[in-house]
Amino acid sequence: MPLSLDNIAFLQSDRAHEQLESLASADLSDANILPLLSRLRRSFTARQAAALLTTLRLRKAAKTKFPEHGERMLFTDAGLQQASGPLLRLYRARQFESRRLLDLCCGIGADSLAFAAADREVHGLDIDPVRIAIARHNASLLRLPARFSVCDIRAGIPSAYDAIFFDPARRDSQDRRIQHVEAYIPPLSLARKWRAREIAVKLSPGVDLRQVAEYGGSLEFISAQGRLSEALLWLHRDFAQPVATLLRGADALRLRDDGAQGIAVTAPRAWLLEPDPAVLRAGLVQTLARQLGASMLDASIAYLTSDQPVQTAWARSWKIREWLPFQLKRLRRHLQARGIGRVTVKKRGFAMQPDELIARLRLSGEGDACVLVMTRCRGKAIAILCDEAKLGQFPRNSL
Ligand SMILES: C[S@@+](CC[C@H](N)C(=O)[O-])C[C@H]1O[C@@H](n2cnc3c(N)ncnc32)[C@H](O)[C@@H]1O
């Protein structure tokens, strides 16, 4: 149920607060929702009961994004979905050098709260009064001095700030992904009007680089826990090749273009390395290959191969058992002859879907298991049989 301003006022009342506390560990499984709702209906109106249930549900869902205070905060469904996770919030807050900062399209204020917690003077603006009411509530709950205003930023923004963080909506009203930066709500071009010492815009991690080429600045692809999470366009910075950033706890590793080119293309060696998605998006596969002393299997495919195991946060590693040119019958016989009954398929540059390949391999399901990597080597389809590497057993690499 979408929350209204009346709902927010109710949820802030002592009565609602006590009820939410007493139901904090209630069973919210489908089977229990109706009995819970009818219980709440004895003391509350239908809208109030629904607002309480929505809040209980969202607080549970908020555990990952707001591990510390999520069980006490207020959210809307979409506001919670759009809020970034704690690693990204912390990282961004640390990247800005300026003290006075505008958070444009602040939503429920997740980023503003992180800026305030990092000692920045922050003013969050959003067009949606419900989100602003929630942002204010959460800031006061966490005793963070962030300021919030309802504002359509297309009509103008306050000028007395040194830095701007702009996080436009990247999904439309039907929750479909918006593919073009100028169709974001509001569009990226709005940023052309702004003057500030630092300006960063959050973009979809899949952004087409051609759409932002005319803006200059520097693009950063950020991954956390092996997932490509977002792209940040730093508009005030000089033009530079995209960089990849990998967040690990409070640490951020960064990989920059070092001009590496012409990395050797070889047959699979002892180890297969799969670069982090931020490396791919930033176009840094050759840079990583050079830094790891690895070669490529194919000039257009982002798998690397090395003689030695490398422990690096920038790539996952698999020990290669053997490899062979791909031919379905031959691969089936090969796996059967080795007693392999189950495979986990990974693929790059190989057209068939993993489920289809597994079905067509007709393996027994019994016996040994392996990771089967379907890819190309020098343009030809190959199958690589691998063990999954156990991290920690290899020498440390500084990368
Ligand atoms: C991706 S969300 C922002 C999430 C937010 N940074 C957070 O951490 O919770 C995009 C936000 O843009 C707001 N928005 C859309 N059009 C706007 C406009 N013209 N002026 C101000 N805010 C707008 C939406 O209400 C929505 O909250």
Side-chain angles (χ1 to χ4, degrees):
M1 179 196 87
L3 295 177
S4 64
L5 281 177
D6 284 348
N7 292 145
I8 306 296
F10 161 68
L11 288 169
Q12 289 173 311
S13 68
D14 289 344
R15 240 179 115 215
H17 181 73
E18 279 158 26
Q19 189 64 69
L20 287 167
E21 290 264 286
S22 73
L23 290 176
S25 44
D27 170 9
L28 298 182
S29 60
D30 287 352
N32 206 37
I33 286 293
L34 273 183
L36 196 55
L37 198 57
S38 19
R39 205 173 111 198
L40 287 170
R41 284 291 281 114
R42 282 185 224 131
S43 321
F44 297 97
T45 67
R47 283 198 65 80
Q48 289 172 339
L52 288 168
L53 261 188
T54 299
T55 301
L56 288 170
R57 186 174 55 73
L58 292 176
R59 284 182 174 178
K60 276 205 165 46
K63 274 202 180 110
T64 325
K65 282 192 178 169
F66 298 89
E68 287 183 34
H69 305 289
E71 77 284 356
R72 294 186 295 138
M73 292 167 69
L74 293 183
F75 302 101
T76 65
D77 239 320
L80 178 58
Q81 269 177 44
Q82 290 170 343
S84 30
L87 285 186
L88 282 145
R89 297 196 299 263
L90 177 68
Y91 171 71
R92 275 197 243 102
R94 288 180 175 171
Q95 293 309 296
F96 282 94
E97 289 167 8
S98 310
R99 236 195 82 65
R100 306 195 67 226
L101 205 135
L102 272 180
D103 180 8
L104 302 183
C105 298
C106 67
I108 58 169
D111 291 301
S112 297
L113 299 183
F115 290 130
D119 242 4
R120 301 299 199 286
E121 191 183 315
V122 58
H123 188 174
L125 305 178
D126 200 282
I127 198 168
D128 178 0
V130 171
R131 291 183 197 210
I132 288 295
I134 288 181
R136 285 186 182 135
H137 171 88
N138 290 338
S140 116
L141 179 85
L142 304 184
R143 298 181 198 285
L144 287 168
R147 181 178 161 208
F148 293 98
S149 306
V150 177
C151 170
D152 180 344
I153 63 166
R154 289 168 301 182
I157 58 168
S159 57
Y161 288 85
D162 305 320
I164 293 175
F165 174 58
F166 175 35
D167 184 5
R170 292 168 299 280
R171 286 187 177 269
D172 66 14
S173 51
Q174 268 95 54
D175 202 33
R176 286 178 305 222
R177 213 178 282 280
I178 301 175
Q179 303 293 347
H180 202 290
V181 293
E182 302 310 345
Y184 286 179
I185 310 168
L188 174 60
S189 58
L190 196 61
R192 289 189 196 282
K193 297 185 179 168
W194 304 330
R195 298 286 164 263
R197 210 159 65 80
E198 297 177 282
I199 303 180
V201 187
K202 180 166 158 182
L203 307 173
S204 153
V207 64
D208 181 336
L209 301 193
R210 289 167 301 186
Q211 294 173 14
V212 292
E214 64 187 271
Y215 285 88
S218 138
L219 198 55
E220 178 179 14
F221 290 97
I222 308 176
S223 77
Q225 279 130 9
R227 240 192 86 236
L228 183 61
S229 300
E230 70 182 44
L232 278 183
L233 178 60
W234 295 92
L235 285 170
H236 61 284
R237 294 187 184 162
D238 291 338
F239 173 77
Q241 291 304 319
V243 300
T245 298
L246 198 151
L247 303 183
R248 292 207 302 183
D251 295 334
L253 306 180
R254 196 156 292 129
L255 191 67
R256 290 179 197 284
D257 182 28
D258 66 359
Q261 276 182 358
I263 295 296
V265 173
T266 68
R269 290 147 75 183
W271 291 83
L272 182 80
L273 311 174
E274 181 186 26
D276 183 273
V279 174
L280 271 64
R281 276 301 355 249
L284 296 173
V285 174
Q286 300 222 30
T287 294
L288 182 66
R290 180 154 91 180
Q291 297 192 13
L292 297 179
S295 52
M296 300 178 78
L297 293 179
D298 189 287
S300 64
I301 292 200
Y303 278 133
L304 305 178
T305 185
S306 65
D307 290 332
Q308 301 298 327
V310 269
Q311 180 162 322
T312 170
W314 288 108
R316 293 177 68 195
S317 314
W318 284 269
K319 174 107 184 71
I320 296 178
R321 291 186 194 176
E322 54 186 330
W323 68 276
L324 60 159
F326 172 65
Q327 205 273 332
L328 186 68
K329 278 189 192 149
R330 182 175 166 198
L331 179 60
R332 186 188 298 136
R333 280 199 305 271
H334 198 85
L335 294 172
Q336 283 167 354
R338 278 151 184 76
I340 293 171
R342 286 164 294 132
V343 289
T344 304
V345 174
K346 299 180 61 62
K347 72 176 194 104
R348 267 186 193 166
F350 180 77
M352 202 186 295
Q353 289 307 311
D355 284 352
E356 187 188 346
L357 177 65
I358 290 172
R360 292 176 70 176
L361 284 172
R362 300 199 303 265
L363 298 174
S364 66
E366 306 289 314
D368 200 5
C370 79
V371 176
L372 183 61
V373 180
M374 304 304 302
T375 187
R376 288 201 307 267
C377 180
R378 295 194 185 102
K380 301 235 166 61
I382 61 168
I384 312 177
L385 280 60
C386 300
D387 297 326
E388 191 136 6
K390 293 195 180 48
L391 294 177
Q393 98 199 55
F394 311 128
R396 289 221 159 258
N397 182 294
S398 58
L399 262 183

